């Protein structure tokens, strides 16, 4: 199971948002939840496009553990300072992968 989070950020704050993810240990916090397999934060090649988090989970229950985690909720306030709108959350099942 994979999730995609599109984060619309204020222009010029992309590097600061990457640093926020690093210093706050966002992926490390998610990793404390059973079933979190890993994630990547992607920065767009073109200005004005959202940053994207691609995360992999064992199952829906693992995603829900992160959604319910108070540590995740604690990130919402500081994260809001970077945003120009609401993040868009999507869930996908892997149909084909390589290697």
């Amino acid at each position: 199971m994979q999730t995609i989070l599109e984060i619309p950020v204020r222009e010029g704050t992309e590097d600061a948002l990457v640093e926020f993810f690093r210093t706050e240990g966002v992926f490390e916090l998610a990793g404390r939840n059973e079933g979190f397999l890993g994630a990547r934060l992607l920065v767009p090649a073109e200005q004005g496009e959202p940053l994207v988090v691609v995360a992999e989970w064992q199952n829906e229950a693992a995603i829900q553990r992160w959604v319910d985690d108070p540590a995740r909720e604690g990130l919402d306030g500081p994260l809001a300072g970077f945003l120009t709108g609401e993040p868009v959350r999507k869930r996908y099942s892997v149909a084909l992968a390589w290697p």
Side-chain angles (χ1 to χ4, degrees):
M1 189 105 243
Q2 295 205 341
T3 56
I4 307 289
L5 177 64
E6 298 174 358
I7 307 171
V9 298
R10 286 184 292 116
E11 192 171 326
T13 66
E14 297 86 357
D15 290 342
L17 180 60
V18 171
E19 187 60 22
F20 173 81
F21 266 72
R22 182 179 294 112
T23 59
E24 295 298 319
V26 174
F27 295 152
E28 290 82 355
L29 290 171
R32 296 187 317 194
N33 291 280
E34 181 184 342
F36 175 73
L37 302 175
R40 287 180 263 156
L41 175 60
L42 308 177
V43 178
E46 295 185 27
Q47 283 282 96
E49 293 294 317
L51 275 70
V52 175
V53 175
V54 179
E56 190 166 351
W57 311 86
Q58 279 183 334
N59 51 39
E60 286 284 340
I63 296 169
Q64 195 60 48
R65 279 190 288 278
W66 174 237
V67 169
D68 295 338
D69 190 328
R72 189 203 57 80
E73 291 176 12
L75 298 170
D76 288 346
L79 185 61
F82 296 101
L83 304 181
T84 60
E86 287 295 315
V88 176
R89 294 169 174 84
K90 301 175 183 179
R91 295 181 185 194
Y92 293 86
S93 296
V94 177
L96 183 67
W98 186 90

